[in-house]
Amino acid sequence: MAHHFNAPCDQSGESCPLALASKSGQRERILHLHHTPKGEEYVNIELIPLLNAKGEQAYFVEKMESLRLTKGQPAVQKLIGRAPAFKRMLELVARVGPSEANVLLLGESGTGKELVACAVHESSLRAHSPLVVVECASLTDTLFESELFGHERGAFTGASSSKAGLVEAASGGTLFLDEVGDIPLPMQVKLLRLLENGTYRRVGSTQLRRSDVRIISATHRDLQAMVKERSFREDLYFRLSTFPIHLPSLRERSDDIPLISHALLSKLAPKRNLTVSKEALDTLQEHAFPGNVRELRNVLERSTLLCDGTVIEKEHIKQALGSILSAGTPANSEKSDEIKNLPLLELSKGQSLLQIEEEAFRVQLQAHRGTRSQLAEKLGISERSLYRKLRAFGYR
């Protein structure tokens, strides 16, 4: 059987579309994990009941479609997982993919927002057209407008020729706005115009152009809090968040760590056929992973360098994680002393989440004595995200 169950799927922990459609008399759609000759894959099953002349259920029309870029088992550049939180996310991806609705991906840094954006795009009718990524956090006001909408020759110093923007590059496809919460406020109104009526102007041009793109955006920020403090437009927020999807953190799906680890190791050391011992996996699953999959990848990469054999053991993982898990060791005591000596973060009543984040970031930055790379690792974020925050909070 495709499910590898000896009993019907509704008796083995999954919902049965036939049972649901029979009971409701309506179309039902379910996401199932199927076992195929190519491995495990998630399949979107749609069942439609048909009535006979007496108005009784007589037949069912079944439609099965694989959800692209997703796997129950490891594969390169795929969304991987079986945990309930992961599956709930995929069910939303399967539902919204074929539509034209704008999608807002919400979640911590390192949870795989770009991969989810790819899954939404690949499951849409626009899959034959490009998916164009816009790194919003790295663009200034002027650069953002030029990159997104393009510019005419002579529009500004250095514009020696006309240039099409990323909106034009994504024509017929999908535009993915990564870290949309970092878009400069003056530029938000121009993005809103694009969302509301599908029009825009190149920098230096009066000609109104039309676009045919679907918008997927992503952020780790609390956009609702930013709306309240007026650093993000409310009308733009509602345009972007037609269909929000929460991406679970690695803490919410720690049962997927063995699967993800196997997939990452096949990429990090493809010729070594490395495995991870049960004790090492237990150690990984006990760790909080504030940096999510990105942090897990870093830990595993360090572990491959520490391991001389074919099996990554618990000690390799503990050493890769640092002294966090080594309670009672001198290194851990030094870490505790370092934390005790950090300046106290004093919070004022009425502070917004963004202000609290900025103050906490300032405290960590002033107390840090190592490299920027070490600071990013300490904060559980990528170096790129660190430099984004440095720019956003006025540091260089």
Side-chain angles (χ1 to χ4, degrees), residues 4-77:
H4 280 196
F5 296 146
N6 295 322
C9 53
D10 58 342
Q11 298 176 23
S12 304
E14 288 191 341
S15 298
C16 176
L18 179 60
L20 291 174
S22 299
K23 183 177 181 180
S24 68
Q26 300 177 0
R27 178 196 310 246
E28 295 289 348
R29 187 162 48 178
I30 297 293
L31 190 69
H32 273 188
L33 182 62
H34 278 190
H35 298 262
T36 73
K38 296 181 180 180
E40 292 183 349
E41 63 179 14
Y42 281 100
V43 177
N44 200 29
I45 303 174
E46 189 173 349
L47 216 66
I48 306 170
L50 299 180
L51 306 181
N52 59 21
K54 298 180 181 179
E56 301 169 334
Q57 288 182 8
Y59 307 97
F60 292 89
V61 174
E62 183 180 50
K63 178 183 177 183
M64 298 177 63
E65 185 178 19
S66 297
L67 190 59
R68 301 182 187 181
L69 287 180
T70 59
K71 292 287 180 182
Q73 290 285 1
V76 178
Q77 293 300 321

Side-chain angles (χ1 to χ4, degrees), residues 15-297:
S15 298
C16 176
L18 179 60
L20 291 174
S22 299
K23 183 177 181 180
S24 68
Q26 300 177 0
R27 178 196 310 246
E28 295 289 348
R29 187 162 48 178
I30 297 293
L31 190 69
H32 273 188
L33 182 62
H34 278 190
H35 298 262
T36 73
K38 296 181 180 180
E40 292 183 349
E41 63 179 14
Y42 281 100
V43 177
N44 200 29
I45 303 174
E46 189 173 349
L47 216 66
I48 306 170
L50 299 180
L51 306 181
N52 59 21
K54 298 180 181 179
E56 301 169 334
Q57 288 182 8
Y59 307 97
F60 292 89
V61 174
E62 183 180 50
K63 178 183 177 183
M64 298 177 63
E65 185 178 19
S66 297
L67 190 59
R68 301 182 187 181
L69 287 180
T70 59
K71 292 287 180 182
Q73 290 285 1
V76 178
Q77 293 300 321
K78 299 288 185 180
L79 287 168
I80 301 163
R82 298 181 186 175
F86 179 81
K87 190 174 179 180
R88 286 193 296 270
M89 178 197 73
L90 288 188
E91 288 173 347
L92 295 177
V93 169
R95 284 188 174 275
V96 76
S99 76
E100 288 292 307
N102 294 328
V103 178
L104 176 61
L105 305 177
L106 302 168
E108 298 176 7
S109 178
T111 49
K113 300 185 192 71
E114 188 168 341
L115 277 178
V116 176
C118 287
V120 174
H121 173 72
E122 289 294 328
S123 61
S124 74
L125 299 177
R126 296 174 175 268
H128 63 282
S129 297
L131 168 69
V132 176
V133 180
V134 183
E135 297 283 356
C136 300
S138 62
L139 301 176
T140 61
D141 290 25
T142 305
L143 191 57
F144 179 86
E145 186 176 10
S146 174
E147 286 293 306
L148 196 63
F149 303 124
H151 62 259
E152 297 294 347
R153 179 181 179 183
F156 50 83
T157 303
S160 57
S161 62
S162 297
K163 178 186 175 183
L166 296 177
V167 170
E168 289 180 64
S171 180
T174 303
L175 191 69
F176 175 45
L177 303 174
D178 193 16
E179 294 302 345
V180 71
D182 293 333
I183 294 179
L185 196 57
M187 291 298 102
Q188 292 179 20
V189 66
K190 298 191 176 183
L191 178 59
L192 179 64
R193 184 191 301 124
L194 177 68
L195 287 164
E196 287 187 330
N197 52 38
T199 62
Y200 66 97
R201 288 186 177 90
R202 286 184 178 181
V203 177
S205 173
T206 59
Q207 179 185 355
L208 197 65
R209 296 172 178 266
R210 291 200 168 273
S211 71
D212 175 26
V213 295
R214 181 190 193 178
I215 304 293
I216 300 176
S217 51
T219 184
H220 71 282
R221 294 182 178 274
D222 186 343
L223 291 187
Q224 291 181 323
M226 293 179 68
V227 167
K228 290 180 181 178
E229 64 191 27
R230 298 185 179 181
S231 60
F232 199 86
R233 293 181 63 98
E234 183 178 37
D235 45 8
L236 177 58
Y237 168 73
F238 286 119
R239 281 287 180 179
L240 292 172
S241 61
T242 303
F243 197 89
I245 299 178
H246 168 72
L247 275 64
S249 66
L250 200 52
R251 297 183 300 281
E252 296 175 76
R253 57 186 193 109
S254 59
D255 288 346
D256 284 338
I257 286 179
L259 289 173
I260 300 171
S261 298
H262 180 65
L264 290 173
L265 285 174
S266 66
K267 293 170 61 179
L268 292 170
K271 297 180 180 180
R272 294 181 62 185
N273 294 320
L274 288 170
T275 59
V276 186
S277 71
K278 182 182 182 304
E279 293 76 14
L281 286 173
D282 290 342
T283 302
L284 286 173
Q285 289 178 291
E286 290 169 1
H287 185 58
F289 283 109
N292 294 293
V293 177
R294 187 180 293 119
E295 182 185 356
L296 174 61
R297 186 189 188 282

